[in-house]
Amino acid sequence: MLIEKKEKKCIEYSVNVYIDFEAYSDKNKQHIAYLCCFDLDEIKAKCSPTKHAFYGNDCGFDMLCYLEKIYNALKNKLNLEPKTRLNFNLIAHNASYDFNFIVRHLIIHKQIANGKNVYASIGMFKKMHLYVKDSYKMISSPLRDFGEIFKLDQEKECMPYNIYNEETINKVFYKIEDLKNNTTND
């Protein structure tokens, strides 16, 4: 006897969440995240503010916990049909790098990768459905060129990367003289 299995079709409601991590290298050359920022698709997320920043060694976990609160609130607010699933698309430019700071908190269901390069990943954080996507794989230009490519007003910060380390990461303000004296031209 042949039994035909019918797949349940699921309608997906997706919200884009643009993420970026900043990190420093410790004495062992390990990258340690100290800042995680995200910007939600304002229209689909139906909340404000849409921009958030998280600081410290647990910034990736803190971001996921905060997104989970938004996810649950949005799920209730939308009053989704039973066959509709809410997804958050975490989009990062060079997602392989940013993904490293949150992967230990996720249950990964599917992943498209080539070696260490993660192109896309599908997983969950608690009950929150997440798709991780790499915008660099779609637009293979560095972020610094986006202003020119998309005709946007854009500025890049001028902080030298080697100023960020275990000792200075919690310092909020720097004197310009200190920056000049303690950095090299990398």
Side-chain angles (χ1 to χ4, degrees):
M1 181 162 92
L2 182 65
I3 299 173
E4 187 177 315
K5 186 178 178 183
K6 291 186 179 181
E7 282 190 38
K8 293 180 182 178
K9 297 267 179 172
C10 185
I11 300 167
E12 295 188 4
Y13 186 92
S14 296
V15 176
N16 291 335
V17 183
Y18 305 94
I19 66 170
D20 189 29
F21 280 85
E22 297 297 332
Y24 66 90
S25 295
D26 68 8
K27 294 171 186 158
N28 300 320
K29 304 290 183 202
Q30 294 256 92
H31 286 231
I32 309 296
Y34 67 87
L35 171 65
C36 173
C37 298
F38 75 76
D39 189 0
L40 284 162
D41 180 338
E42 185 176 357
I43 295 166
K44 286 217 169 173
K46 301 181 187 293
C47 71
S48 69
T50 60
K51 294 175 178 19
H52 296 275
F54 303 89
Y55 302 91
N57 291 341
D58 294 326
C59 60
F61 180 74
D62 294 342
M63 175 200 67
L64 290 170
C65 290
Y66 191 81
L67 280 175
E68 183 195 21
K69 289 178 186 176
I70 294 171
Y71 180 90
N72 290 331
L74 183 56
K75 206 168 182 179
N76 291 332
K77 189 185 284 189
L78 292 172
N79 197 17
L80 298 173
E81 297 289 323
K83 291 185 179 181
T84 303
R85 184 172 70 204
L86 175 61
N87 299 318
F88 275 8
N89 298 321
L90 302 183
I91 301 171
H93 208 62
N94 190 11
S96 298
Y97 184 75
D98 299 86
F99 185 64
N100 283 318
F101 300 117
I102 59 172
V103 69
R104 69 180 179 271
H105 305 297
L106 306 177
I107 297 170
I108 304 299
H109 296 297
K110 293 181 184 176
Q111 188 163 294
I112 301 169
N114 183 3
K116 291 183 179 181
N117 290 321
V118 176
Y119 298 101
S121 186
I122 299 171
M124 292 185 75
F125 176 74
K126 300 182 182 179
K127 293 184 178 182
M128 180 172 54
H129 296 270
L130 298 172
Y131 290 6
V132 177
K133 299 179 178 187
D134 190 343
S135 60
Y136 189 73
K137 304 302 185 265
M138 295 180 266
I139 306 169
S140 59
S141 294
L143 287 175
R144 68 175 170 266
D145 295 344
F146 273 34
E148 186 178 331
I149 293 168
F150 297 109
K151 309 293 184 240
L152 302 169
D153 290 335
Q154 178 186 12
E155 286 185 45
K156 180 80 172 148
E157 77 260 2
C158 62
M159 290 290 287
Y161 283 114
N162 62 348
I163 194 68
Y164 299 112
N165 59 51
E166 291 172 274
E167 297 165 16
T168 63
I169 203 66
N170 293 318
K171 192 171 181 178
V172 178
F173 298 104
Y174 289 92
K175 294 179 182 176
I176 291 176
E177 300 81 37
D178 293 342
L179 289 175
K180 288 178 182 176
N181 295 333
N182 294 320
T183 61
T184 58
N185 294 333
D186 289 339

